[in-house]
Amino acid sequence: MSKVPEQTKVWTVLELIRWGTTYFGQKGIESGRLTMELLLCEVLATRRIALYSDFERPLMPQELVQLRGYVQRIANHEPLQYVLGKADFFSLQFEVTPDVLIPRQETEILVERVISQVADRRTCLDIGTGSGIIAVAIAKHVPQSQWLCIDKSSGAVDVARRNADRHGVADQCTFQVMDILTQAPSQTFDIICMNPPYIAASEVSTLDATVRDYEPHSALTDDADGLSFYRRLSHLGESLLNPNGLMVFELGWGQAESAVDLFKGRWNTRVINDLADIPRVLEVWSN
Ligand code: GLN
């Protein structure tokens, strides 16, 4: 069977899982079975564990129509998180739309680093906030922290604002549409965080189609060497950071040395590796 299921037949959960696994496999979609299960969970408003005890449940015609729409989007290589409109990060669920980068698990390292070093630092800046995951996750764990969240995309700022509301930290977060490459906040900060669009322009064409064709271009790349934002902050940091302040950046693959070089001299730097021993976070503080 290669077509999306017709409505006339009665389809059970188990049949659909089997069908979806094969169909997505043919379409080159990774984790086809898991994807199908998560789509079914969404359509049936149920949890994965419940699917397993309800394998013989037949889908209603309108449920099949909804599922068919989702399946077609996945078959076109649209990311699952955009189809579902949500993604998990740091054990929290966030709204995501095509206006924002899909949260990546690697970014949890940055969040953990900030939480463990926040001490009495209170005023924080999240540059390129996207869905707001960094500020919202930290704000939730550090109730005394106050955040300015900026992004050059107003669509992203709207999503981030809703995520702050959703997690009850709206009173700790202020949002502003701002492009840090050409503008700067007027206040100063104890902590500055950024997960920059660090993919070099020359590498964009090598990205998986699910990423390249769907995630916001400006959230992925600086259209240059991938280092523009580290470079900019190596200058701007001097006027934005309070004494005893800390800047924490996520690093792209293979960027640690070049990024550290940009901060050499006026700044202290420390690189943190992820669990796969890949340099993942750059911490910067003044001499
Ligand atoms: N801050 C958001 C995240 O970490 C968005 C980052 C980006 O768009 N480059 O997911």
Side-chain angles (χ1 to χ4, degrees):
M1 193 185 319
S2 59
K3 276 172 59 198
V4 178
E6 293 294 337
Q7 260 179 52
T8 44
K9 177 182 175 345
V10 174
W11 286 84
T12 65
V13 165
L14 183 60
E15 285 173 323
L16 284 162
I17 290 174
R18 288 193 178 136
W19 176 86
T21 307
T22 308
Y23 181 68
F24 287 145
Q26 289 162 353
K27 294 279 172 189
I29 309 291
E30 273 176 38
S31 315
R33 183 182 170 112
L34 174 65
T35 301
M36 194 62 179
E37 288 181 7
L38 294 172
L39 295 179
L40 281 162
C41 287
E42 185 68 15
V43 169
L44 300 175
T46 193
R47 293 157 62 89
R48 250 178 104 205
I49 185 83
L51 276 190
Y52 280 74
S53 55
D54 227 358
F55 270 158
E56 299 311 319
R57 174 174 174 174
L59 267 74
M60 310 287 282
Q62 68 273 22
E63 292 168 340
L64 269 182
V65 169
Q66 193 187 354
L67 183 71
R68 179 182 295 119
Y70 289 163
V71 164
Q72 276 162 351
R73 290 171 67 185
I74 297 289
N76 287 334
H77 293 264
E78 186 171 341
L80 176 67
Q81 293 88 339
Y82 289 155
V83 174
L84 300 181
K86 59 191 176 191
D88 292 331
F89 178 78
F90 218 70
S91 305
L92 299 168
Q93 193 174 82
F94 287 85
E95 175 189 338
V96 296
T97 74
D99 276 316
V100 301
L101 190 81
I102 294 168
R104 303 297 203 272
Q105 213 183 346
E106 300 91 275
T107 308
E108 295 188 347
I109 299 172
L110 184 158
V111 167
E112 277 166 2
R113 292 296 304 178
V114 173
I115 291 174
S116 68
Q117 297 177 90
V118 72
D120 57 356
R121 300 179 173 106
R122 284 166 183 271
T123 52
C124 309
L125 174 65
D126 181 16
I127 305 174
T129 195
S131 58
I133 51 165
I134 294 176
V136 170
I138 301 173
K140 223 170 147 62
H141 284 79
V142 187
Q144 75 275 18
S145 63
Q146 288 293 330
W147 290 82
L148 174 63
C149 305
I150 63 172
D151 200 294
K152 74 172 185 178
S153 152
S154 61
V157 164
D158 290 342
V159 174
R161 194 179 273 122
R162 288 198 293 275
N163 278 322
D165 272 340
R166 170 191 280 232
H167 291 296
V169 294
D171 57 334
Q172 289 168 259
C173 301
T174 306
F175 298 89
Q176 224 172 309
V177 177
M178 184 185 288
D179 180 355
I180 198 70
L181 290 182
T182 54
Q183 299 163 278
S186 49
Q187 62 270 55
T188 58
F189 301 89
D190 299 325
I191 289 190
I192 297 175
C193 301
M194 182 171 202
N195 175 19
Y198 48 60
I199 294 166
S202 57
E203 283 169 24
V204 171
S205 64
T206 67
L207 293 174
D208 197 90
T210 304
V211 175
R212 189 190 57 227
D213 297 347
Y214 286 96
E215 296 198 69
H217 182 83
S218 64
L220 296 170
T221 178
D222 60 354
D223 281 321
D225 61 357
L227 299 168
S228 305
F229 291 87
Y230 310 111
R231 197 173 284 117
R232 169 79 166 151
L233 268 299
S234 73
H235 302 295
L236 202 57
E238 285 178 44
S239 53
L240 281 186
L241 207 59
N242 289 331
N244 195 32
L246 181 68
M247 293 198 277
V248 186
F249 302 94
E250 185 164 314
L251 288 168
W253 202 85
Q255 279 178 331
E257 248 177 72
S258 327
V260 165
D261 272 353
L262 291 169
F263 289 95
K264 273 226 172 96
R266 288 159 298 160
W267 300 94
N268 296 299
T269 58
R270 174 168 50 221
V271 172
I272 312 298
N273 289 5
D274 64 19
L275 292 175
D277 221 21
I278 296 169
R280 188 50 72 187
V281 169
L282 171 62
E283 296 175 352
V284 178
W285 64 102
S286 58
N287 270 330

